[in-house]
Amino acid sequence: DGARRRGAPAGGSLSISHGLDQLPAHAMELCAKKHPPEEERRVKANAREYNEKFQYASNCIKTSKYNIITFLPINLFEQFQEVANTYFLFLLILQLIPQISSLSWFTTIVPLVLVLTITAVKDATDDYFRHKSDNQVNSRQSQVLINGILQQEQWMHVRVGDIIKLENNQFVAADLLLLSSSEPHGLCYIETAELDGETNMKVRQAIPVTSELSDTSKLAHFDGEVICEPPNNKLDKFSGTLYWKESKHPLSNQNMLLRGCVLRNTEWCFGLVIFAGPDTKLMQNSGRTKFKRTSIDRLMNTLVLWIFGFLVCMGVILAIGNSIWEYEVGACFQIYLPWDEAVDSAFFSGFLSFWSYIIILNTVVPISLYVSVEVIRLGHSYFINWDKKMYCAKRCTPAEARTTTLNEELGQVEYIFSDKTGTLTQNIMVFSKCSVNKRSYGDVLDVLGYKAELGEKTEPVDFSFNPLADPNFTFWDTGLLEAVKLGDPHVHEFFRLLSLCHTVMSEEKNPGELYYKAQSPDEGALVTAARNFGFVFRSRTPKTITVQELGQPVTYQLLAILDFNNVRKRMSVIVRNHEGQIRLYCKGADTILLERLHPGNQELYNVTTDHLNEYAGEGLRTLVLAYRDLEESYYTSWAERLQRARTISEGREDRVARLYEEVENDMVLLGATAIEDKLQQGVPETIALLTLANIKIWVLTGDKQETAVNIGYSCKMLTDEMTEVFIITGHTVLEVRQELRKAREKMMDSSRSVGNGFTYPEKVAASNLTSVLEAVAGEYALVINGHSLAHALEADMELEFLETACACKAVICCRVTPLQKAQVVELVKKYKKAVTLAIGDGANDVSMIKTAHIGVGISGQEGIQAVLASDYSFSQFKFLQRLLLVHGRWSYLRMCKFLCYFFYKNFAFTMVHFWFGFFCGFSAQTVYDQYFITLYNIVYTSLPVLAMGVFDQDVPEHRSLEYPKLYEPGQLNLLFNKREFFICIAQGIYTSVFMFFIPYGVFSDNSHLADYQSFAVTVATSLVIVVSVQIGLDTGFWTAINHFFIWGSLAIYFAILFAMHSDGLFQLFPNQFRFVGNAQNTLAQPAVWLTIALTTVICIIPVVAFRFLKLDLKPELSDTVRYTQLVRKKQKTQHRCMGRVGRVGSRRSGYAFSHQEGFGELIMSGKNMRLSSLALSSFSGRPSTSWIETLRKKKSTGGDSSVASSPSGGGPDRTLKV
């Protein structure tokens, strides 16, 4: 269908809604031609020919990368962009040249073809599912009005300017202008979970002039033209004008239905397509899908280039040696050792020798390295998938690793960016407590009237007296129901307000079965509470509200609704009761409403304020309720002034706001409500644990500021102990800059006040300022609104924002768009050079999930878009601690140990050829036979290192969770870096030296062992034994598989060795296996075994000695943890009666853990864990984590101010930061 992109951001990508994967932006270019950006869009209804001349994008979505013809060339081109694949292809070409090849071509082509084939099959499978998903979405049916008749059309055939009919529970196919609906006044209800992550319903309304177009005959003659803004990513804004019947009508976002929404509780509606396909706001908001590589991948690519340079240097040295040898010595042996026909000089011989040695020495980086890495990653992914502790039985949802390339990076995360609604919370609001007439309700009381804990015997309030009560509503304080039944006028008025002051819609499908359609979960919870306590909201019309009060139906005349907004932070209704009395009911934020109360009854004000503080301390969402009686004459005058203000075009909003302010004053306080937005289970504990692991958590939410801040307190991201919470709400660039600077100055002032001695310079380098700020005293939090964030992310201010945010312990960004979420993640990636993880559950989180190094999707209430775009998915936020602190840390540890050992064993193997070159006339003769060279990495040494890479552990999983500080080496990239790489190759070179020269020296002095083949067998056997002993030393967690692979590999080596020197193979292949009985004869010599033993001891003893001294003098935290575990086991056997052993890993709160005997508590203020004196008696006075902190300070000057050191400098009790 030739979808065309117009006005889209550069590099923007697709986000297929309603069950499709999120796929690369470049896929769109395959089916779309580019045009200059639009300045405005003109759309005429029922006029396809007119609209097509603008070449607007169709509704066709194409996300696949290949087709049958292009798959092979494009896929091979992509694969050979990998440095390693190109390197091995180059070696293969060299091996096909007989003049320089001393190895058979099959040693390279077989593994290369295998790797390319596996990757191609994987890519083809992925693209097949993309094609399948494309067809699924593009083939969905929609009713399109064509020539006055509704016809079924596939989504991909829908065009801009078409009129579409939607029915209840259908997805919106494109961005539509709502024309009419089945509801009165052109209203319709939509769910926007795919767009902004909110599951509550929202109301949209057609403009009055089109709301009467309810049948197809009228709509067929509708020829209005819309002139509006070009395609953009602003979900909450739309500006345009409808020109029809020689008049114009303004259009806003309230008139639009966006792709990704679902029509709810509305029988049908008609809409005019304004934006289609890639031009829709959902697609415009999806960030580019990026190919994600780990830092280890990038480092490996660099190391491959370094190794290739080292390989060239060795080749040059040996080639020069060959030229000199041929010139000085070889020339004298031309009769016995003639040059090849093509060789006419010693220089050319050296040139050919150079390429021969490149082939021989290429095993320093065998292709099996990349195959092994993928196998290990696959194993780690299966461990995540199989983890029963990350399985949610309630939803039957296991954890899923949707990629196999990022596992080790899970052990290096420094920043987590989290959505709020549905990720931290369940998005379920519960009416928890309330305060009415100086009394707080909601706590369970014992017989003496004191607060009691909920127990198994606690019975909830019985609402059986009310046939209309919601059976799912639960309340525990019977005192509130008793007050209702006793006729307490204050309680009655309290619930009357809750039943009237809202915008909820009621639906009664069956008699007595009420269903509320609320725009926010808060309102739904409040109206449901009033319903259960006898004040049942039954129905509404534009002018009336009907409530059943304690069984009696009462209808109120609705005079006005003063709606909620972020500035007013309150809403009011003005109603007239059956007695003719006019009353204003108001509910809103305490900070706003308490200022507008009548000055009387100060005692009620004080008690209610105390209750509000108590509720807020529990992390509950609070509202204050008040009312005001209005005189008829005053109301009439006020209503007239309001009507005039609404008809004035200039300054209309300010005039209306002032009239609202006027009437919402001198109110009488009724009470307060407290609603619990239920956190997911384990969220506070998870956040506390991740914070202790030095992971910074930022919450990026589309929700309003008050909600986000309340949740921040509930999940313990924000605490009352924090020095200050900075709230950035500026509407201009200047205001935002000033607020950020004030925040930084306060942080710097606090540092100076505690004696840090910092002075705040006017102009200082960004990196220096950041490091100074990160070392400030005290704990701070930053809360910033979306409109302020838009300015903060501008190029000239982004660094100031980042510096301020990174100095804070917690950061909360409110009212942010999906694209802003991605921009915040990109900002941290750009300047902090840290591994980022984004976690969310809705389509509005897709951009940041795809932007972050690692994306995690939660399969919750908001569709599957986040899961489909993610790298990992599970059902609850609390599983993130296991994903990072257990699976991530283990994956990083295993991959680092694997790489260190792999480079070591291959340098030890390959460098023997280099030393041998000096004793074989630099003739490119190999030490080992070609079968050993082929099998060394595939058979003899592959399985033991794979077992270590898949199964190894340093500490058990529960210790990883008890000691979050164990996570820090991954963040600092300590276990595999350039320094560790050089140590590994130095050990490999050291091993190769003794591997060659000890047997060479023995064979030089022993006439019985003077042949080349016996020497090759001895060196090869020494090598296999040494590297097997080394893998045994490197293995920290032994399983039956490790034993089987290590000893089995040795057994296979000897079996193959004896088989290749047997009579049977010689008789079958006499030209290939000529050395019959050589292995048997060689290994029958005691001198050979003594040589092998001596070589093994000399190669291994220095490693053992170094590790022993390091463990004794400078142990790592993991060493200390293992030691204390051994001590604890001894204590258990010797002192079973001493002390009570607590449950492993139990958590009492987010900041205090209980451990088994030998451990103290995790103190909230210091956040450190003290090990028992018995456990650390032999480690007293030794640094255990100081080396980590030293490196952290080098990485980011200023370090982590929360690092705890021993107060005494080395007593029997050491303090370890964990």
Side-chain angles (χ1 to χ4, degrees), residues 319-330 346:
I320 292 172
N322 178 268
S323 295
I324 294 173
W325 190 90
E326 290 288 357
Y327 182 78
E328 297 287 343
V329 182

Side-chain angles (χ1 to χ4, degrees), residues 57-61 138 155-159 173-174 259 275-278 280:
S58 76
N59 215 32
C60 168
I61 297 301
N138 289 331
W155 274 23
M156 61 182 175
H157 295 145
V158 171
R159 297 289 183 269
R259 178 175 179 140
F275 302 119
T280 58

Side-chain angles (χ1 to χ4, degrees), residues 974-1015:
L974 297 180
L975 302 186
F976 186 74
N977 48 41
K978 293 170 184 176
R979 176 178 173 273
E980 292 296 322
F981 169 72
F982 285 121
I983 291 174
C984 294
I985 63 172
Q987 183 187 354
I989 292 171
Y990 165 84
T991 301
S992 71
V993 169
F994 290 97
M995 195 79 65
F996 174 78
F997 284 103
I998 291 177
Y1000 184 81
V1002 171
F1003 274 61
S1004 298
D1005 297 334
N1006 193 327
S1007 59
H1008 298 290
L1009 297 169
D1011 63 289
Y1012 158 76
Q1013 194 63 23
S1014 296
F1015 176 73

